[in-house]
Amino acid sequence: MNDLIRWMCLYAQERRMDGLWSDPEYRACNQVSTACIEALEEQLDGEGRKRLRVLLDQTAFQSGLEQEYLFRAALSVAWELGEQLRPAPSRLAP
């Protein structure tokens, strides 16, 4: 089941995220982040830039884990809601 959920998460990221990538607020935030990183990199030496990249990579990995966990939680809620909305089996049926 974990592989199926991971595949569903990747599918959603690849096929259902167009709205985020084109969202003006997201794009502005991304531009500010990129500018801040570039400005910081200019002030650092080689070792400092290397440490910054490691930090950014680890932060991105952590964010990905959080997003996957949130996806799993949302999927679980959807399954629970589906169970609640399904009609109960009839007791009169033979």
Side-chain angles (χ1 to χ4, degrees), residues 26-40:
Y26 174 80
R27 293 171 64 86
C29 182
N30 191 39
Q31 288 175 345
V32 169
S33 296
T34 301
C36 287
I37 291 167
E38 289 171 355
L40 183 55

Side-chain angles (χ1 to χ4, degrees), residues 1-13 17 60-76:
M1 189 64 139
N2 285 340
D3 288 340
L4 176 60
I5 292 173
R6 181 160 283 138
W7 179 86
M8 290 171 64
C9 188
L10 290 172
Y11 178 86
Q13 287 174 340
M17 298 296 287
F61 183 73
Q62 178 182 354
S63 178
L65 291 174
E66 292 167 357
Q67 290 175 13
E68 184 177 332
Y69 189 89
L70 180 60
F71 180 81
R72 289 173 184 270
L75 194 56
S76 177

Side-chain angles (χ1 to χ4, degrees), residues 89-94:
S90 173
R91 294 183 187 189
L92 301 175

